[in-house]
mmCIF file of all heavy atoms in Angstrom:
data_model
loop_
_atom_site.group_PDB
_atom_site.id
_atom_site.type_symbol
_atom_site.label_atom_id
_atom_site.label_comp_id
_atom_site.label_asym_id
_atom_site.label_seq_id
_atom_site.Cartn_x
_atom_site.Cartn_y
_atom_site.Cartn_z
ATOM 1 N N SER A 1223 77.628 57.644 -28.344
ATOM 2 C CA SER A 1223 77.228 58.600 -27.315
ATOM 3 C C SER A 1223 77.685 58.217 -25.892
ATOM 4 O O SER A 1223 77.716 59.051 -24.991
ATOM 5 C CB SER A 1223 75.667 58.713 -27.297
ATOM 6 O OG SER A 1223 75.102 57.518 -26.900
ATOM 7 N N GLY A 1224 78.026 56.936 -25.738
ATOM 8 C CA GLY A 1224 78.374 56.446 -24.418
ATOM 9 C C GLY A 1224 77.152 56.152 -23.490
ATOM 10 O O GLY A 1224 77.364 55.839 -22.314
ATOM 11 N N GLU A 1225 75.935 56.345 -23.979
ATOM 12 C CA GLU A 1225 74.775 56.161 -23.192
ATOM 13 C C GLU A 1225 74.599 54.695 -22.820
ATOM 14 O O GLU A 1225 74.612 53.840 -23.665
ATOM 15 C CB GLU A 1225 73.533 56.650 -24.029
ATOM 16 C CG GLU A 1225 72.204 56.597 -23.251
ATOM 17 C CD GLU A 1225 72.107 57.588 -22.156
ATOM 18 O OE1 GLU A 1225 72.890 58.555 -22.165
ATOM 19 O OE2 GLU A 1225 71.293 57.366 -21.250
ATOM 20 N N PRO A 1226 74.414 54.424 -21.494
ATOM 21 C CA PRO A 1226 74.293 53.015 -21.108
ATOM 22 C C PRO A 1226 72.856 52.551 -21.024
ATOM 23 O O PRO A 1226 71.898 53.384 -20.897
ATOM 24 C CB PRO A 1226 74.926 53.005 -19.674
ATOM 25 C CG PRO A 1226 74.596 54.345 -19.142
ATOM 26 C CD PRO A 1226 74.539 55.296 -20.363
ATOM 27 N N ALA A 1227 72.654 51.300 -21.144
ATOM 28 C CA ALA A 1227 71.303 50.665 -20.867
ATOM 29 C C ALA A 1227 71.630 49.458 -20.004
ATOM 30 O O ALA A 1227 72.649 48.823 -20.111
ATOM 31 C CB ALA A 1227 70.679 50.218 -22.183
ATOM 32 N N PHE A 1228 70.633 49.097 -19.101
ATOM 33 C CA PHE A 1228 70.857 48.101 -18.062
ATOM 34 C C PHE A 1228 69.779 47.012 -18.227
ATOM 35 O O PHE A 1228 68.659 47.309 -18.445
ATOM 36 C CB PHE A 1228 70.807 48.764 -16.705
ATOM 37 C CG PHE A 1228 71.850 49.860 -16.542
ATOM 38 C CD1 PHE A 1228 71.478 51.181 -16.879
ATOM 39 C CD2 PHE A 1228 73.149 49.606 -16.064
ATOM 40 C CE1 PHE A 1228 72.468 52.144 -16.756
ATOM 41 C CE2 PHE A 1228 74.027 50.610 -15.923
ATOM 42 C CZ PHE A 1228 73.686 51.865 -16.262
ATOM 43 N N TYR A 1229 70.243 45.797 -17.902
ATOM 44 C CA TYR A 1229 69.322 44.625 -17.928
ATOM 45 C C TYR A 1229 69.569 43.722 -16.748
ATOM 46 O O TYR A 1229 70.774 43.441 -16.416
ATOM 47 C CB TYR A 1229 69.548 43.820 -19.229
ATOM 48 C CG TYR A 1229 69.480 44.637 -20.476
ATOM 49 C CD1 TYR A 1229 70.572 45.317 -20.983
ATOM 50 C CD2 TYR A 1229 68.302 44.647 -21.263
ATOM 51 C CE1 TYR A 1229 70.521 46.036 -22.138
ATOM 52 C CE2 TYR A 1229 68.247 45.378 -22.418
ATOM 53 C CZ TYR A 1229 69.310 46.086 -22.874
ATOM 54 O OH TYR A 1229 69.243 46.775 -24.052
ATOM 55 N N LEU A 1230 68.489 43.227 -16.167
ATOM 56 C CA LEU A 1230 68.621 42.124 -15.181
ATOM 57 C C LEU A 1230 68.404 40.844 -15.924
ATOM 58 O O LEU A 1230 67.493 40.691 -16.726
ATOM 59 C CB LEU A 1230 67.603 42.289 -14.089
ATOM 60 C CG LEU A 1230 67.757 43.447 -13.099
ATOM 61 C CD1 LEU A 1230 66.666 43.449 -12.045
ATOM 62 C CD2 LEU A 1230 69.150 43.402 -12.491
ATOM 63 N N CYS A 1231 69.313 39.860 -15.709
ATOM 64 C CA CYS A 1231 69.288 38.616 -16.447
ATOM 65 C C CYS A 1231 69.328 37.429 -15.486
ATOM 66 O O CYS A 1231 69.999 37.458 -14.440
ATOM 67 C CB CYS A 1231 70.514 38.528 -17.393
ATOM 68 S SG CYS A 1231 70.773 39.991 -18.432
ATOM 69 N N TRP A 1232 68.608 36.405 -15.879
ATOM 70 C CA TRP A 1232 68.694 35.119 -15.177
ATOM 71 C C TRP A 1232 68.548 34.013 -16.142
ATOM 72 O O TRP A 1232 67.762 34.136 -17.142
ATOM 73 C CB TRP A 1232 67.577 35.047 -14.133
ATOM 74 C CG TRP A 1232 67.576 33.683 -13.387
ATOM 75 C CD1 TRP A 1232 68.315 33.411 -12.268
ATOM 76 C CD2 TRP A 1232 66.815 32.530 -13.705
ATOM 77 N NE1 TRP A 1232 68.096 32.102 -11.914
ATOM 78 C CE2 TRP A 1232 67.217 31.563 -12.761
ATOM 79 C CE3 TRP A 1232 65.930 32.207 -14.699
ATOM 80 C CZ2 TRP A 1232 66.679 30.240 -12.792
ATOM 81 C CZ3 TRP A 1232 65.461 30.883 -14.786
ATOM 82 C CH2 TRP A 1232 65.741 29.953 -13.794
ATOM 83 N N SER A 1233 69.230 32.934 -15.959
ATOM 84 C CA SER A 1233 69.089 31.756 -16.853
ATOM 85 C C SER A 1233 69.222 30.506 -16.001
ATOM 86 O O SER A 1233 69.922 30.483 -15.035
ATOM 87 C CB SER A 1233 70.217 31.760 -17.917
ATOM 88 O OG SER A 1233 71.504 31.696 -17.331
ATOM 89 N N PRO A 1234 68.508 29.428 -16.411
ATOM 90 C CA PRO A 1234 68.591 28.211 -15.593
ATOM 91 C C PRO A 1234 69.938 27.473 -15.778
ATOM 92 O O PRO A 1234 70.254 26.613 -14.992
ATOM 93 C CB PRO A 1234 67.448 27.361 -16.125
ATOM 94 C CG PRO A 1234 67.197 27.892 -17.563
ATOM 95 C CD PRO A 1234 67.580 29.345 -17.483
ATOM 96 N N THR A 1235 70.684 27.809 -16.856
ATOM 97 C CA THR A 1235 71.980 27.171 -17.110
ATOM 98 C C THR A 1235 73.016 28.259 -17.379
ATOM 99 O O THR A 1235 72.668 29.420 -17.567
ATOM 100 C CB THR A 1235 71.910 26.203 -18.322
ATOM 101 O OG1 THR A 1235 71.480 26.965 -19.454
ATOM 102 C CG2 THR A 1235 70.893 25.086 -18.063
ATOM 103 N N THR A 1236 74.237 27.838 -17.452
ATOM 104 C CA THR A 1236 75.365 28.794 -17.740
ATOM 105 C C THR A 1236 75.242 29.311 -19.164
ATOM 106 O O THR A 1236 74.986 28.520 -20.104
ATOM 107 C CB THR A 1236 76.685 28.114 -17.492
ATOM 108 O OG1 THR A 1236 76.776 27.624 -16.175
ATOM 109 C CG2 THR A 1236 77.828 29.093 -17.762
ATOM 110 N N VAL A 1237 75.390 30.656 -19.333
ATOM 111 C CA VAL A 1237 75.342 31.250 -20.677
ATOM 112 C C VAL A 1237 76.496 32.138 -20.812
ATOM 113 O O VAL A 1237 77.246 32.456 -19.861
ATOM 114 C CB VAL A 1237 74.012 32.061 -20.817
ATOM 115 C CG1 VAL A 1237 72.768 31.150 -20.821
ATOM 116 C CG2 VAL A 1237 73.881 33.102 -19.840
#
Side-chain angles (χ1 to χ4, degrees):
S1223 66
E1225 184 70 20
F1228 302 89
Y1229 306 84
L1230 291 182
C1231 310
W1232 179 86
S1233 61
T1235 59
T1236 302
V1237 295

